[in-house]
Amino acid sequence: MKQPSTKTEMSRFNISPEDDSSSSNSQEYPYPDCPKKVPLCSQYADMDAAENQNFLPELNLGKKKYETEYHEGNTSFGMSVFNLSNAIMGSGILGLSYAMANTGIALFVILLVAVAIFSLYSVHLLLKTANEGGALVYEQLGYKAFGMPGKLAASCSITMQNIGAMSSYLYIVKYELPIVIQAFLGGSNGEWYTNGDYLVLLVSFVIILPLSLLRNLGYLGYTSGLSLLCMVFFLIVVIIKKFQIPCPLPLDEALNDTLKVLNANHSQLNATDYSECACTPKYFVFNSQTVYAVPILTFAFVCHPSILPMYEELKDRSRKKMQGVANVSFLAMFIMYLLAALFGYLTFNAHVEPEMLHTYSKVFKADVVLLIVRLAVLAAVTLTVPVVLFPIRTSVNQLLCASKDFSWIRHCAITLVLLAGTNALVIFVPTIRDIFGFIGASAAAMLIFILPSAFYIKLVKKESMKSVQKIGATAFLLCGFLVMSGSMTLIILDWIHNASAGPAAHADGH
């Protein structure tokens, strides 16, 4: 038998980023140490045509099929949709009504449609590049395309983006869970169980850690489904409250202070009185806060670090099937984002706050339904953290020990270090929002625009640079640089403005 030696030669041949079109189409499973070896001519002879053509092709007509290391996925289409939808949807849904208040309904819808289409196009580029480049790990695509610099760029972007996302979720736990506990137990006298720092540690190591230690992402489909149900419940309550809360709000003593704060926060909108005029929805709005709508919407659709791990674990996988998973997930999240933003904005109009739950809690001092909504949102973000942590751990593994066998000790150690480090940031750095705003601006543009298009241009060699596909990818790459530079510039200008405004500008933020 000469198959093992042939396989070894082919695996060496595939590592080079300068492969010709035939070798770049060959499949190289991203975990070379996996012991599972499957002869293509026997067990997978009955796979669908798209799978055989796109994912496990023959090298040449003169060469017979070779034995390769192939990992069969076991995650169903539905579970993959749950996981990807959960990866797309984050805490950003709570701020979309604020974004609509600063853009208007029509402009918001235009931006939302554009960002959703761009993100889906990016997924298309990423999946096609994975097939043509013969790798199912973001970092390996970077290595095949640009060597070690490409691998480092992919690894650093994934790590920065996902640590920022994990931190935002844990911040919700830190600041919302004490409010829920106090609602059940009454006023707080400084007990440890109403301290956000203790609570975020407790939730992290009692709930998040066991889920994060799972080896396969597919098992998290059940928790992802529960998380999505929680956010659907949140959306239903937002829609119902629109018809229960009058506009303008009755000016009683309980609301006087709230309205003063709301009016002060939105003085840029020239809506300093809560009158009938303030209850009229706007379709196009331009003010000092409008420029932040694009980064908010861009970050709302960042899920690209999870695409390839989910593709790897998809049962009977093919590029067409994974694109279908992405299409369903993006459509579902687009509908949820649009409804949440629209009904939240129509409820409070110009006076909606950056975090929508905060606005409700100031109007309703004690409301059982809103308390349940808080619990649902807390459950949703808590169950999302393991899904976000998974690509970071994969990235670290690929960067430090890609050639080593799987080790539970290393697996657990990396998980503990990542979770402990994120908790430390949330607890000890009160202005982490600004830091991760800057990191997220750069990392999100890298993951959505720059890296997928650059990998596509470099690795998909069967298309010339004058083809429509390559021209589109090049334009997408340039668009990514514009988005990244624009977002980073706006955040830096915001820092400068807040610094010149003095400490009072930060007194209320966290």
Side-chain angles (χ1 to χ4, degrees):
M1 293 287 289
K2 294 184 179 182
Q3 284 183 341
S5 61
T6 305
K7 181 196 71 173
T8 303
E9 292 176 4
M10 288 311 306
S11 63
R12 292 176 182 172
F13 187 63
N14 285 341
I15 292 177
S16 172
E18 300 297 332
D19 295 346
D20 59 23
S21 60
S22 62
S23 64
S24 66
N25 287 341
S26 63
Q27 164 62 18
E28 176 186 341
Y29 175 58
Y31 298 104
D33 56 325
C34 178
K36 186 172 183 178
K37 300 179 181 179
V38 181
L40 295 184
C41 56
S42 60
Q43 184 172 347
Y44 286 92
D46 295 328
M47 295 180 70
D48 57 75
E51 181 81 352
N52 287 329
Q53 180 181 359
N54 294 333
F55 204 75
L56 298 170
E58 299 179 38
L59 293 178
N60 285 305
L61 293 177
K63 296 182 181 180
K64 64 181 180 179
K65 293 181 180 180
Y66 63 94
E67 182 182 31
T68 187
E69 293 169 351
Y70 178 81
H71 171 74
E72 182 183 8
N74 55 10
T75 306
S76 66
F77 185 94
M79 286 298 179
S80 297
V81 170
F82 281 147
N83 277 333
L84 185 55
S85 299
N86 202 25
I88 297 172
M89 182 187 59
S91 57
I93 193 173
L94 300 177
L96 292 179
S97 295
Y98 180 75
M100 181 176 283
N102 290 282
T103 57
I105 297 175
L107 182 57
F108 179 89
V109 172
I110 293 172
L111 292 175
L112 188 66
V113 170
V115 172
I117 292 175
F118 285 153
S119 298
L120 267 179
Y121 177 66
S122 176
V123 171
H124 163 75
L125 292 179
L126 191 59
L127 292 176
K128 191 169 184 179
T129 306
N131 281 348
E132 300 292 334
L136 281 179
V137 175
Y138 218 123
E139 293 80 4
Q140 281 195 355
L141 288 178
Y143 183 80
K144 283 173 173 286
F146 303 105
M148 187 55 67
K151 185 176 183 178
L152 287 174
S155 180
C156 292
S157 298
I158 290 173
T159 302
M160 288 191 301
Q161 173 65 33
N162 285 17
I163 286 180
M166 287 173 58
S167 300
S168 69
Y169 299 147
L170 293 179
Y171 263 107
I172 293 178
V173 174
K174 177 179 178 179
Y175 290 107
E176 295 292 335
L177 188 54
I179 297 175
V180 173
I181 293 179
Q182 290 175 22
F184 281 107
L185 302 180
S188 172
N189 294 321
E191 294 86 356
W192 69 269
Y193 49 81
T194 59
N195 186 306
D197 293 338
Y198 292 133
L199 290 176
V200 74
L201 286 171
L202 186 65
V203 170
S204 295
F205 291 97
V206 173
I207 300 176
I208 296 175
L209 179 60
L211 294 175
S212 301
L213 289 176
L214 294 174
R215 184 176 178 181
N216 295 320
L217 190 63
Y219 295 120
L220 295 176
Y222 299 100
T223 59
S224 296
L226 178 60
S227 175
L228 287 176
L229 286 177
C230 292
M231 298 310 293
V232 169
F233 175 65
F234 163 75
L235 174 61
I236 292 173
V237 172
V238 169
I239 296 174
I240 293 174
K241 289 298 180 182
K242 159 65 181 73
F243 301 100
Q244 293 181 350
I245 299 177
C247 187
L249 290 172
L251 292 177
D252 55 25
E253 296 181 0
L255 292 175
N256 276 336
D257 295 336
T258 298
L259 296 180
K260 290 178 182 178
V261 173
L262 292 174
N263 286 327
N265 289 341
H266 296 276
S267 58
Q268 303 98 328
L269 300 176
N270 296 321
T272 55
D273 62 305
Y274 207 77
S275 61
E276 292 290 347
C277 180
C279 296
T280 304
K282 309 294 191 301
Y283 292 94
F284 289 94
V285 174
F286 298 96
N287 55 54
S288 61
Q289 303 298 308
T290 303
V291 291
Y292 293 97
V294 173
I296 289 174
L297 293 175
T298 302
F299 302 150
F301 281 101
V302 174
C303 63
H304 298 67
S306 301
I307 291 291
L308 294 182
M310 292 179 186
Y311 187 22
E312 178 195 347
E313 296 192 4
L314 181 63
K315 186 177 181 180
D316 299 328
R317 63 175 172 257
S318 66
R319 181 164 62 92
K320 182 178 180 181
K321 187 174 184 179
M322 188 62 203
Q323 188 68 53
V325 171
N327 292 342
V328 174
S329 301
F330 273 81
L331 177 60
M333 292 304 99
F334 173 85
I335 294 173
M336 285 193 64
Y337 283 166
L338 180 59
L339 291 177
L342 180 62
F343 282 91
Y345 170 61
L346 293 178
T347 303
F348 298 103
N349 289 278
H351 299 288
V352 65
E353 292 194 12
E355 185 183 343
M356 191 156 45
L357 281 178
H358 247 286
T359 317
Y360 286 113
S361 64
K362 289 186 176 181
V363 174
F364 295 101
K365 297 299 181 182
D367 187 278
V368 176
V369 174
L370 288 174
L371 182 61
I372 297 174
V373 168
R374 285 183 183 272
L375 286 172
V377 171
L378 284 169
V381 298
T382 300
L383 296 176
T384 303
V385 172
V387 179
V388 177
L389 187 143
F390 190 92
I392 310 177
R393 185 175 56 219
T394 303
S395 178
V396 173
N397 264 316
Q398 282 294 315
L399 192 61
L400 301 180
C401 45
S403 60
K404 295 182 181 179
D405 294 335
F406 175 82
S407 168
W408 275 109
I409 296 177
R410 184 174 67 248
H411 178 85
C412 295
I414 294 175
T415 304
L416 279 170
V417 169
L418 290 173
L419 200 55
T422 307
N423 273 271
L425 289 173
V426 172
I427 292 173
F428 294 110
V429 185
T431 59
I432 198 71
R433 178 186 59 183
D434 293 335
I435 298 174
F436 285 124
F438 182 84
I439 294 175
S442 57
M446 289 286 288
L447 293 172
I448 292 181
F449 295 93
I450 297 174
L451 292 182
S453 52
F455 295 166
Y456 182 87
I457 293 170
K458 181 70 174 179
L459 294 178
V460 181
K461 298 181 179 180
K462 65 182 182 181
E463 297 171 357
S464 68
M465 288 301 298
K466 295 182 180 179
S467 65
V468 176
Q469 293 86 349
K470 284 292 181 72
I471 293 175
T474 304
F476 199 60
L477 178 66
L478 296 176
C479 181
F481 281 111
L482 290 176
V483 170
M484 183 174 68
S485 59
S487 298
M488 294 174 67
T489 301
L490 290 173
I491 290 175
I492 292 174
L493 291 175
D494 185 57
W495 284 356
I496 296 174
H497 172 75
N498 289 336
S500 62
H506 301 281
D508 194 42
H510 55 260

